PDB file of all heavy atoms in Angstrom:
ATOM      1  N   HIS M 159      56.080  84.437 149.648  1.00 97.00           N
ATOM      2  CA  HIS M 159      57.338  84.436 148.914  1.00 97.00           C
ATOM      3  C   HIS M 159      58.251  83.300 149.329  1.00 97.00           C
ATOM      4  O   HIS M 159      58.910  82.608 148.508  1.00 97.00           O
ATOM      5  CB  HIS M 159      58.043  85.793 149.175  1.00 97.00           C
ATOM      6  CG  HIS M 159      59.178  86.125 148.293  1.00 97.00           C
ATOM      7  ND1 HIS M 159      59.026  86.572 146.966  1.00 97.00           N
ATOM      8  CD2 HIS M 159      60.525  85.972 148.481  1.00 97.00           C
ATOM      9  CE1 HIS M 159      60.198  86.758 146.443  1.00 97.00           C
ATOM     10  NE2 HIS M 159      61.133  86.372 147.317  1.00 97.00           N
ATOM     11  N   MET M 160      58.327  83.005 150.623  1.00 98.00           N
ATOM     12  CA  MET M 160      59.147  81.937 151.129  1.00 98.00           C
ATOM     13  C   MET M 160      58.650  80.604 150.594  1.00 98.00           C
ATOM     14  O   MET M 160      59.471  79.757 150.144  1.00 98.00           O
ATOM     15  CB  MET M 160      59.117  81.935 152.672  1.00 98.00           C
ATOM     16  CG  MET M 160      59.931  80.773 153.262  1.00 98.00           C
ATOM     17  SD  MET M 160      59.746  80.616 155.095  1.00 98.00           S
ATOM     18  CE  MET M 160      58.107  79.775 155.170  1.00 98.00           C
ATOM     19  N   VAL M 161      57.387  80.403 150.557  1.00 98.00           N
ATOM     20  CA  VAL M 161      56.778  79.137 150.077  1.00 98.00           C
ATOM     21  C   VAL M 161      57.165  78.924 148.588  1.00 98.00           C
ATOM     22  O   VAL M 161      57.509  77.845 148.153  1.00 98.00           O
ATOM     23  CB  VAL M 161      55.275  79.123 150.300  1.00 98.00           C
ATOM     24  CG1 VAL M 161      54.604  78.024 149.488  1.00 98.00           C
ATOM     25  CG2 VAL M 161      54.936  78.932 151.793  1.00 98.00           C
ATOM     26  N   ARG M 162      57.060  80.036 147.841  1.00 97.00           N
ATOM     27  CA  ARG M 162      57.431  79.948 146.420  1.00 97.00           C
ATOM     28  C   ARG M 162      58.918  79.702 146.231  1.00 97.00           C
ATOM     29  O   ARG M 162      59.311  78.873 145.415  1.00 97.00           O
ATOM     30  CB  ARG M 162      57.007  81.271 145.703  1.00 97.00           C
ATOM     31  CG  ARG M 162      57.134  81.240 144.225  1.00 97.00           C
ATOM     32  CD  ARG M 162      56.402  82.381 143.568  1.00 97.00           C
ATOM     33  NE  ARG M 162      56.941  83.688 144.031  1.00 97.00           N
ATOM     34  CZ  ARG M 162      56.237  84.522 144.796  1.00 97.00           C
ATOM     35  NH1 ARG M 162      55.036  84.180 145.181  1.00 97.00           N
ATOM     36  NH2 ARG M 162      56.747  85.721 145.189  1.00 97.00           N
ATOM     37  N   ASP M 163      59.766  80.425 146.963  1.00 97.00           N
ATOM     38  CA  ASP M 163      61.177  80.231 146.844  1.00 97.00           C
ATOM     39  C   ASP M 163      61.701  78.863 147.230  1.00 97.00           C
ATOM     40  O   ASP M 163      62.554  78.323 146.588  1.00 97.00           O
ATOM     41  CB  ASP M 163      61.937  81.294 147.736  1.00 97.00           C
ATOM     42  CG  ASP M 163      61.968  82.671 147.147  1.00 97.00           C
ATOM     43  OD1 ASP M 163      61.494  82.866 146.031  1.00 97.00           O
ATOM     44  OD2 ASP M 163      62.436  83.623 147.882  1.00 97.00           O
ATOM     45  N   LEU M 164      61.106  78.342 148.290  1.00 98.00           N
ATOM     46  CA  LEU M 164      61.600  77.071 148.839  1.00 98.00           C
ATOM     47  C   LEU M 164      60.759  75.856 148.436  1.00 98.00           C
ATOM     48  O   LEU M 164      60.997  74.732 148.927  1.00 98.00           O
ATOM     49  CB  LEU M 164      61.713  77.164 150.386  1.00 98.00           C
ATOM     50  CG  LEU M 164      62.569  78.260 150.949  1.00 98.00           C
ATOM     51  CD1 LEU M 164      62.627  78.173 152.453  1.00 98.00           C
ATOM     52  CD2 LEU M 164      63.968  78.171 150.359  1.00 98.00           C
ATOM     53  N   ASP M 165      59.821  76.046 147.544  1.00 98.00           N
ATOM     54  CA  ASP M 165      59.028  74.942 146.926  1.00 98.00           C
ATOM     55  C   ASP M 165      58.351  74.064 147.970  1.00 98.00           C
ATOM     56  O   ASP M 165      58.427  72.864 147.953  1.00 98.00           O
ATOM     57  CB  ASP M 165      59.928  74.051 146.060  1.00 98.00           C
ATOM     58  CG  ASP M 165      60.553  74.883 144.913  1.00 98.00           C
ATOM     59  OD1 ASP M 165      59.801  75.540 144.186  1.00 98.00           O
ATOM     60  OD2 ASP M 165      61.805  74.871 144.780  1.00 98.00           O
ATOM     61  N   PHE M 166      57.691  74.716 148.940  1.00 98.00           N
ATOM     62  CA  PHE M 166      56.971  73.943 149.953  1.00 98.00           C
ATOM     63  C   PHE M 166      55.764  73.228 149.390  1.00 98.00           C
ATOM     64  O   PHE M 166      55.334  72.223 149.994  1.00 98.00           O
ATOM     65  CB  PHE M 166      56.518  74.884 151.101  1.00 98.00           C
ATOM     66  CG  PHE M 166      57.587  75.123 152.156  1.00 98.00           C
ATOM     67  CD1 PHE M 166      58.270  76.259 152.219  1.00 98.00           C
ATOM     68  CD2 PHE M 166      57.788  74.095 153.074  1.00 98.00           C
ATOM     69  CE1 PHE M 166      59.274  76.447 153.217  1.00 98.00           C
ATOM     70  CE2 PHE M 166      58.772  74.268 154.070  1.00 98.00           C
ATOM     71  CZ  PHE M 166      59.496  75.458 154.124  1.00 98.00           C
ATOM     72  N   GLY M 167      55.185  73.712 148.350  1.00 96.00           N
ATOM     73  CA  GLY M 167      53.956  73.044 147.795  1.00 96.00           C
ATOM     74  C   GLY M 167      52.742  73.146 148.668  1.00 96.00           C
ATOM     75  O   GLY M 167      51.954  72.247 148.730  1.00 96.00           O
ATOM     76  N   ILE M 168      52.647  74.267 149.437  1.00 98.00           N
ATOM     77  CA  ILE M 168      51.553  74.536 150.349  1.00 98.00           C
ATOM     78  C   ILE M 168      50.818  75.743 149.820  1.00 98.00           C
ATOM     79  O   ILE M 168      51.430  76.740 149.439  1.00 98.00           O
ATOM     80  CB  ILE M 168      52.045  74.774 151.788  1.00 98.00           C
ATOM     81  CG1 ILE M 168      52.804  73.554 152.333  1.00 98.00           C
ATOM     82  CG2 ILE M 168      50.911  75.179 152.736  1.00 98.00           C
ATOM     83  CD1 ILE M 168      53.540  73.822 153.615  1.00 98.00           C
TER      84      ILE M 168
END
Side-chain angles (χ1 to χ4, degrees):
H159 192 80
M160 180 187 77
V161 165
R162 186 166 61 249
D163 282 355
L164 301 184
D165 301 306
F166 273 104
I168 297 168

